[in-house]
């Protein structure tokens, strides 16, 4: 029978391995058995606020289901901000006259 993952020690490894280009971050990978609390403190030096956010959210007294719920909420929030900026850019795009000499 497979053993149940230990959230406090496994989550740091999962975040680090899954994060794009984590090997380029100026922070060493989590050590075997390192808790997310300890790793989150070290992640502050990485200079990547998204990476730090992922570590800090996982450091709360939660389980994997709650972490997924928080990530889903963050994705929705980011999409709303993205859409607002996309609308702003679309509205700021100059409109060309439909034909020479016409007034838009």
């Amino acid at each position: 029978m497979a053993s149940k993952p230990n959230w406090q020690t496994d989550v740091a490894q999962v975040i680090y391995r899954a994060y794009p280009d984590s090997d380029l971050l100026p922070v060493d990978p989590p050590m075997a058995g390192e808790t997310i609390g300890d790793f989150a403190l070290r992640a502050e030096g990485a200079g990547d606020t998204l990476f730090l956010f992922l570590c800090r959210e996982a450091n709360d007294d939660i389980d994997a289901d709650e972490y997924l719920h928080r990530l889903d909420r963050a994705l929705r929030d980011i999409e709303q901000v993205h859409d607002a900026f996309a609308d702003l850019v679309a509205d700021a795009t100059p409109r060309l006259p439909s034909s020479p000499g016409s007034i838009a």
Side-chain angles (χ1 to χ4, degrees):
M1 177 165 74
S3 63
K4 184 177 179 181
N6 181 336
W7 174 258
Q8 286 298 310
T9 57
D10 294 343
V11 70
Q13 292 283 341
V14 172
I15 292 170
Y16 187 85
R17 286 188 201 134
Y19 197 75
D21 300 319
S22 60
D23 58 325
L24 301 177
L25 293 172
V27 63
D28 290 331
M31 296 174 279
E34 183 174 14
T35 66
I36 186 60
D38 291 338
F39 186 67
L41 288 174
R42 289 197 307 111
E44 290 181 19
D48 185 316
T49 56
L50 178 56
F51 182 73
L52 181 56
F53 167 79
L54 295 170
C55 294
R56 283 182 174 171
E57 285 297 306
N59 190 28
D60 284 345
D61 187 20
I62 60 173
D63 61 12
D65 289 331
E66 175 61 21
Y67 187 64
L68 287 171
H69 175 74
R70 290 179 180 197
L71 293 180
D72 287 338
R73 185 177 29 202
L75 286 169
R76 286 190 307 271
D77 293 349
I78 290 168
E79 285 175 347
Q80 287 182 348
V81 173
H82 173 276
D83 292 347
F85 272 95
D87 290 346
L88 179 68
V89 169
D91 290 343
T93 303
R95 309 247 190 265
L96 298 175
S98 55
S99 63
S102 67
I103 300 175

